[in-house]
């Protein structure tokens, strides 16, 4: 720890109530603490358990600013309403800042909290955006909201996907972003919350800097693109953000405690050969429809693979009766929160059926497993595109909302094939996995992190 970093105090503001947004920002906080900075994290009492392990490890340099969750108006779009409601924290944060003996020199906030750019300028501190999405996903989101008025004017009420030919993004990715038409129509209805959401999302582009949870070998072309878009170099790619000690560790408690005793699962995995198990999980938000679950379980029965299937305890779809008995010995079912990171990093796991949330995408690639993509909303399509078409480390198994159902026989074939030793996707993903380890140990991500800490400590 140098003298300059030990005096540097940062404010970190994750987007509340969403594991996929909070987990990586807590891991970033850990890296800042390891470099000797002092950090205050703005957190709600519901999300506090995610921060507690780190609070216990850094009692003198990590602090929490507990804010109560503001009421969300029931009339607005759920996500937009939640984003807008966070603005009610503006005044309480100003008051906290003014009464602090050594207030922070900068705020690092989730990209949904773009209003904090105005807060930062009022307080006279730097504003840094944290993107829980990859750079490709982020630039598509940004392009959409920057051009939404024009997109609407061109396309009227047509339901087709107007963005297909739109974004001026390198490699011009095409993707069916199913939410877009609905959002565009809601925006047209003149809802003020949508206009605020748009304004604050775009304000992120004028921030002092942006931190991405990605790395050069994965998204170098998009990182360069964003530097051009923003007109400066204060774009830092510091990922993959994972729990570290002196390298990534296979944490069993990342994002929550496992619903079952990890020992039982790992004893089962230990008995399997290398790369002989498919891990299937759809993140913290997505639940399969009844039809999708039925096709998936049917495919698993038709296939020969060993598998771990993770299903939400509160999900609308259920495992068909008798399924567990029919796959006994080769199938392990987890009903609730799985220790995903540790599972992916186990030598027996060879492929991953994923909804392509950005954290799962990075965790799978960093663990070197073949990716079987099944995106259903938001940036998940962009992530699947990156994995399959641009990096060549995965294959598509399905995509789209609850009505998109894979053919069980074809899915069974893809599951079997995904465990073959010599498929090119596996060879490529192992290389990207090695590149990830190198990037965070002493490569580009470690250098970007050092550069960020140096610049922010000089203020
Ligand atoms: N996760 C987990 N166990 C589960 C489900 C999810 O550990 O049963 C973790 C996963 O490892 C990842 C995060 O929760 O770190 C999910 O983030 P992601 O961006 O993949 O998807 P989201 O949940 O935001 O859709």
């Amino acid at each position: 720890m140098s003298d300059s970093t030990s005096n540097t105090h940062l404010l970190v503001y994750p987007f509340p109530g969403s594991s996929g947004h909070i987990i990586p920002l807590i891991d970033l906080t850990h890296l800042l603490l390891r470099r000797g900075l002092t950090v205050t994290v703005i957190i709600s009492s519901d999300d506090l358990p995610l921060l507690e392990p780190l609070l216990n490890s850094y009692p003198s340099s990590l602090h929490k600013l507990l804010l109560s969750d503001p009421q969300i108006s029931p009339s607005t779009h759920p996500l937009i309403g939640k984003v807008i409601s966070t603005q009610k924290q503006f005044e309480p944060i100003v008051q906290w800042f003014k009464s602090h003996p050594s207030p922070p020199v900068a705020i690092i906030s989730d990209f949904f909290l773009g209003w904090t750019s105005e807060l930062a300028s009022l307080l006279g501190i730097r504003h840094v955006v944290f993107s829980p999405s990859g750079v490709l996903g982020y630039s598509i989101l940004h392009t959409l909201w920057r051009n939404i008025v024009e997109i609407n004017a061109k396309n009227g009420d047509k339901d087709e996907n107007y963005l297909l030919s739109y974004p001026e993004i390198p490699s011009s990715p095409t993707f069916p972003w199913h939410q877009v038409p609905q959002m565009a129509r809601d925006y047209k209805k003149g809802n003020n919350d949508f206009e605020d959401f748009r304004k604050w999302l775009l304000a992120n582009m004028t921030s002092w800097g942006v931190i991405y949870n990605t790395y050069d070998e994965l998204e170098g072309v998009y990182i360069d693109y964003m530097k051009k878009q923003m007109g400066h170099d204060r774009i830092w790619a510091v990922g993959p953000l994972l729990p570290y000690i002196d390298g990534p560790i296979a944490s069993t408690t990342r994002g929550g405690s496992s619903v079952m005793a990890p020992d039982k699962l790992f004893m089962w995995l230990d008995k399997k050969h290398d790369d002989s198990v498919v891990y299937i999980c759809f993140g913290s938000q997505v639940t399969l429809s009844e039809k999708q679950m039925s096709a998936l379980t049917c495919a698993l029965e038709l296939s020969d693979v060993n598998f771990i299937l993770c299903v939400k305890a509160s999900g609308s779809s259920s495992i068909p009766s008798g399924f567990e008995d029919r796959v006994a010995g080769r199938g392990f079912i987890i009903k609730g929160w799985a220790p995903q990171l540790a599972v992916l990093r186990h030598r027996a796991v060879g492929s991953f059926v994923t909804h392509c949330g950005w954290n799962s995408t990075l965790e799978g690639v960093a663990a070197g497993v073949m990716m079987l993509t099944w995106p259903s909303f938001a940036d998940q399509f962009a992530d699947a595109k990156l994995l399959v078409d641009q990096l060549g480390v995965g294959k598509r198994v399905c995509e789209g909302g609850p009505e998109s159902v894979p053919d069980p026989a074809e899915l069974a074939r893809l599951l079997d094939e995904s465990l073959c030793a010599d498929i090119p996707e596996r060879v490529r993903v192992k290389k990207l996995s090695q590149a990830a380890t190198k990037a965070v140990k002493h490569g580009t991500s470690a250098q970007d992190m050092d550069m960020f800490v140096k610049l922010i400590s000089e203020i």
Side-chain angles (χ1 to χ4, degrees):
M1 176 199 317
S2 75
D3 285 350
S4 61
T5 61
S6 64
N7 295 325
T8 304
H9 179 193
L10 301 182
L11 186 59
V12 166
Y13 194 173
F15 184 57
S18 167
S19 321
H21 288 244
I22 301 172
I23 293 170
L25 200 36
I26 288 180
D27 286 330
L28 177 74
T29 300
H30 192 184
L31 292 187
L32 296 168
L33 293 165
R34 280 168 58 84
R35 280 170 166 77
L37 282 83
T38 298
V39 182
T40 298
V41 178
I42 301 176
I43 196 116
S44 69
S45 48
D46 283 353
D47 295 332
L48 189 57
L50 292 174
L51 187 65
E52 248 149 14
L54 208 54
L55 279 166
N56 294 335
S57 304
Y58 292 87
S60 55
S61 53
L62 177 60
H63 309 280
K64 60 179 188 287
L65 174 55
L66 259 184
L67 296 177
S68 55
D69 275 336
Q71 287 295 308
I72 302 167
S73 154
S75 60
T76 41
H77 178 282
L79 171 68
I80 310 260
K82 198 168 141 195
V83 170
I84 296 304
S85 73
T86 59
Q87 290 183 67
K88 298 193 180 114
Q89 311 294 17
F90 195 106
E91 255 325 294
I93 298 171
V94 172
Q95 293 314 319
W96 170 83
F97 183 94
K98 284 188 174 158
S99 62
H100 201 286
S102 46
V105 295
I107 177 164
I108 305 175
S109 58
D110 187 282
F111 66 18
F112 278 156
L113 305 170
W115 57 268
T116 53
S117 58
E118 199 167 281
L119 173 80
S121 79
L122 179 94
L123 300 175
I125 62 175
R126 302 271 198 240
H127 184 257
V128 180
V129 180
F130 173 75
S131 171
S133 290
V135 191
L136 173 61
Y138 179 97
S139 40
I140 290 174
L141 179 78
H142 192 265
T143 303
L144 163 70
W145 285 101
R146 193 178 63 238
N147 300 308
I148 198 154
V149 175
E150 191 187 324
I151 291 169
N152 273 331
K154 267 195 203 154
N155 294 279
D157 279 329
K158 278 190 226 151
D159 216 357
E160 70 205 26
N161 195 327
Y162 354 111
L163 270 193
L164 284 183
S165 59
Y166 206 88
E168 39 346 344
I169 296 207
S171 316
S172 44
T174 56
F175 65 101
W177 197 352
H178 292 71
Q179 278 188 331
V180 169
Q182 184 57 47
M183 278 205 167
R185 271 199 302 273
D186 287 352
Y187 178 79
K188 246 173 102 177
K189 283 183 207 148
N191 183 324
N192 286 342
D193 281 353
F194 271 73
E195 186 48 46
D196 272 6
F197 178 78
R198 173 173 183 264
K199 180 173 86 182
W200 293 128
L201 206 63
L202 300 190
N204 284 332
M205 286 302 271
T206 58
S207 283
W208 182 70
V210 186
I211 298 178
Y212 284 104
N213 183 14
T214 191
Y215 60 108
D216 201 49
E217 300 254 349
L218 200 68
E219 291 197 293
V221 57
Y222 301 117
I223 296 166
D224 290 345
Y225 171 80
M226 281 316 283
K227 286 182 179 167
K228 282 202 197 97
Q229 288 284 301
M230 292 195 69
H232 60 75
D233 277 354
R234 290 184 305 278
I235 309 283
W236 301 281
V238 301
L241 290 166
L242 298 169
Y244 293 97
I245 296 185
D246 288 312
I249 55 159
S251 165
T252 53
T253 52
R254 182 177 170 75
S257 302
S258 170
V259 70
M260 24 64 70
D263 287 0
K264 191 177 160 213
L265 173 63
F266 290 103
M267 269 165 58
W268 183 87
L269 270 175
D270 286 346
K271 291 196 196 108
K272 305 290 179 198
H273 295 298
D274 288 6
D275 293 332
S276 70
V277 179
V278 183
Y279 171 66
I280 305 152
C281 185
F282 297 89
S284 63
Q285 314 284 322
V286 173
T287 35
L288 296 188
S289 64
E290 207 70 50
K291 282 189 218 157
Q292 289 173 321
M293 182 57 87
S294 157
L296 172 61
T297 47
C298 181
L300 286 166
E301 284 193 51
L302 289 172
S303 78
D304 291 322
V305 298
N306 297 306
F307 64 90
I308 295 170
L309 173 60
C310 180
V311 291
K312 300 250 156 36
S314 58
S316 55
S317 52
S318 50
I319 303 277
S321 79
F323 173 74
E324 291 182 57
D325 292 338
R326 293 194 293 277
V327 294
R330 72 180 179 96
F332 196 109
I333 292 140
I334 302 176
K335 293 176 186 155
W337 195 257
Q340 171 161 312
L341 192 63
V343 169
L344 286 170
R345 298 188 89 84
H346 193 284
R347 52 151 195 88
V349 174
S351 63
F352 179 18
V353 176
T354 171
H355 73 305
C356 301
W358 184 245
N359 295 293
S360 296
T361 299
L362 277 176
E363 290 163 10
V365 169
V369 298
M370 154 90 179
M371 306 294 276
L372 294 171
T373 68
W374 187 332
S376 61
F377 75 100
D379 59 345
Q380 295 160 12
F381 295 101
D383 302 343
K385 175 97 193 155
L386 182 74
L387 291 171
V388 177
D389 300 332
Q390 294 175 12
L391 301 170
V393 297
K395 288 199 170 173
R396 289 189 170 82
V397 296
C398 189
E399 62 179 21
E403 294 307 316
S404 303
V405 180
D407 170 47
E410 175 58 8
L411 179 53
R413 189 190 68 73
L414 286 164
L415 291 169
D416 286 333
E417 182 197 68
S418 75
L419 296 179
C420 292
D422 52 356
I423 42 168
E425 286 82 1
R426 178 177 314 289
V427 177
R428 286 192 284 261
V429 81
K430 296 268 184 219
K431 277 197 190 142
L432 268 184
S433 160
Q434 285 160 6
T437 306
K438 188 172 161 218
V440 293
K441 270 196 158 177
H442 43 74
T444 51
S445 297
Q447 289 155 13
D448 272 22
M449 196 65 207
D450 288 342
M451 184 54 73
F452 169 72
V453 169
K454 182 171 178 291
L455 283 178
I456 211 83
S457 304
E458 282 169 0
I459 294 170

